[in-house]
Amino acid sequence: MKREQWKTRIGFIWAAVGSAVGLGNIWRFPYVVGDNGGAAFILLYLLCLALVGFPVLIAETLTGRTTQKSPSDAFYSFGKSKLWKKLGLMTIITGFLVTTFYGVIAGMTLGYLFESLKGSLTHFASTSDALNFYTTVSSNSSWILLAYATFSLLSVLILYTGVKKGIESGNKIMMPLLFVVLLILVAKGLTLERASEGLKFLFSPDWKELSPSSIIKALGQAFFALSLGQGTMVTYGSYLSKKESLPGTCVPITLFGTAVSILSGIAIFSIVFSAGLPASAGPSLMFQTLPVVFSQMTGGYFLAVAFLVLLVIAGITSQISALEPLIAYFIDDKRWTRKKAVTVAGLSSFIFGIPSALSFGLWKNVTIFGLSIFDAISFLCVNILIPVGGLLALILVGWRYGIHKAIKHLEEGTQKLFNRFGFFKWYLKIGIKYVAPTLIFLILLDLLGIIKLH
Ligand code: PHE
């Protein structure tokens, strides 16, 4: 069977942007920044993106594009041993685990979309009203399960249609629209009283605010935001033709995603500070802030609906990209039909996510290492499995396969860019082989308590 390919480079960019840009940028980034003290954390995050995230993005898409295979076979082709195949499979399982908690939050945004259509999101006088509403709906088992099930069904329907039709065309329209709606929210946020305190929190660093766990959180978030460490970018790269320049496609993906994160941060923190809310409200932050602005604006009803429609779509394009590696594995390795692969992967993801969904209410008191089921799975994926997955891709490309051979492949489609910006090639060479793996390794040792970086 001939492998499906993106129609154009722009098609790949939009698909990868669709994967990268999602709730990780709009819901997760602001609350993690809030939990970790603001501007200093953002700088740490940007540093992680440049020194680690971007080289991993190149290593992963290159692995996919060169081998034209799904992660476990791609790792096998480069690594030439059963062990590497298993490690590739591990990244696929990480992606699967991500879908189980990501789907729940995305389901919640879908539930919020229905609420916004009913007009329930535009009558909040304060952030505490909005928080009460959030707590009520999210702890209601039937509300959350219905929302989560509907979201899972939508994702599966899109996955049935395959790569090109489903993913490529939709993103081209939705992503720019999302950007515009975000800009409107930012503009409104900035007119609020004390909005400038929000800007100060985001842009004027206070290094004392960083806590010992900030480094791993910044790294995990950088990986999560770029959809790394879990087979997604290897798989998407495998649908890319060799004529394209990888850096030329990866730079816009990184920039666009980062812009969306920062804009969401501005919109949300101008509200946080104008309402006198603590910045560290955690995962409920987006849900308890934005509805307050929708309630205060003329046209708030329509803006809420538009924002949530786009957020749900951004969630779907990310969710399907996290599940696609498992589907590609079933198709390539097990020779299943796409339909069977999608059904099995989609249904299992839904079922495994149910405990996370219930951890907002019915199973609130069930904890793992002091975290709710949802928080525990999200921590395990974002702060441990994903960085390990990224490290594996770097070792595979930089050492096992060999950086020289890898760079040769990278040059395909990129000669012109490398001729113009020679340093770029060196940055990638040194980044993939030495800088990025060393940093991840140190950060993981720190996480395990073996060394102390702070
Ligand atoms: N990058 C996505 C986001 O920021 C989340 C995601 C992670 C998607 C991993 C796929 C794989 O929303």
Side-chain angles (χ1 to χ4, degrees), residues 152-437:
S152 305
L153 194 68
L154 279 177
S155 311
V156 161
L157 287 178
I158 295 193
L159 279 165
Y160 275 136
T161 67
V163 178
K164 279 191 291 196
K165 274 181 280 161
I167 306 175
E168 199 171 327
S169 37
N171 280 342
K172 255 187 256 185
I173 312 164
M174 301 306 171
M175 286 295 141
L177 270 181
L178 179 68
F179 202 74
V180 172
V181 173
L182 261 182
L183 282 177
I184 299 177
L185 286 175
V186 167
K188 171 66 190 171
L190 290 178
T191 63
L192 297 173
E193 229 178 291
R194 291 195 298 274
S196 57
E197 285 175 37
L199 292 181
K200 195 163 152 242
F201 178 75
L202 287 175
F203 299 115
S204 147
D206 177 358
W207 298 103
K208 287 192 300 299
E209 288 288 337
L210 290 179
S211 70
S213 62
S214 298
I215 309 180
I216 185 70
K217 290 193 175 148
L219 182 76
Q221 176 63 25
F223 276 172
F224 187 68
L226 287 177
S227 307
L228 299 174
Q230 37 133 40
T232 293
M233 288 301 173
V234 177
T235 310
Y236 273 24
S238 78
Y239 303 132
L240 192 65
S241 115
K242 303 227 163 128
K243 291 193 294 272
E244 310 298 351
S245 154
L246 278 182
T249 52
C250 291
V251 168
I253 297 166
T254 311
L255 293 181
F256 190 81
T258 309
V260 169
S261 294
I262 303 275
L263 286 180
S264 311
I266 299 177
I268 287 178
F269 282 104
S270 48
I271 308 169
V272 165
F273 281 85
S274 91
L277 200 72
S280 56
S284 65
L285 191 65
M286 175 183 86
F287 297 99
Q288 77 181 103
T289 47
L290 293 182
V292 177
V293 159
F294 297 142
S295 303
Q296 290 175 3
M297 282 173 83
T298 29
Y301 178 89
F302 295 103
L303 198 67
V305 173
F307 175 71
L308 287 161
V309 166
L310 294 165
L311 199 55
V312 169
I313 293 171
I316 292 182
T317 52
S318 299
Q319 175 79 348
I320 59 182
S321 77
L323 207 54
E324 180 69 19
L326 183 62
I327 293 166
Y329 170 76
F330 285 151
I331 296 174
D332 290 351
D333 240 72
K334 304 259 171 263
R335 305 268 156 222
W336 289 4
T337 59
R338 180 156 187 100
K339 207 161 176 190
K340 179 172 172 194
V342 169
T343 311
V344 171
L347 202 63
S348 326
S349 156
F350 172 69
I351 293 169
F352 275 86
I354 292 176
S356 286
L358 293 180
S359 74
F360 287 90
L362 198 60
W363 290 359
K364 200 164 46 205
N365 298 326
V366 182
T367 54
I368 307 169
F369 294 115
L371 297 172
S372 72
I373 303 176
F374 177 94
D375 286 336
I377 296 194
S378 141
F379 184 89
L380 172 71
C381 289
V382 178
N383 296 324
I384 300 173
L385 295 177
I386 286 179
V388 170
L391 180 60
L392 289 175
L394 292 167
I395 296 175
L396 179 67
V397 172
W399 296 83
R400 178 81 195 172
Y401 184 68
I403 193 71
H404 292 293
K405 270 200 282 174
I407 291 284
K408 281 258 157 349
H409 288 295
L410 191 60
E411 279 171 351
E412 286 176 62
T414 312
Q415 256 323 336
K416 261 201 244 140
L417 192 90
F418 281 162
N419 287 345
R420 263 183 57 205
F421 305 102
F423 74 92
F424 203 62
K425 189 159 129 185
W426 284 103
Y427 152 72
L428 287 174
K429 238 181 171 167
I430 296 171
I432 292 175
K433 185 156 183 180
Y434 300 106
V435 180

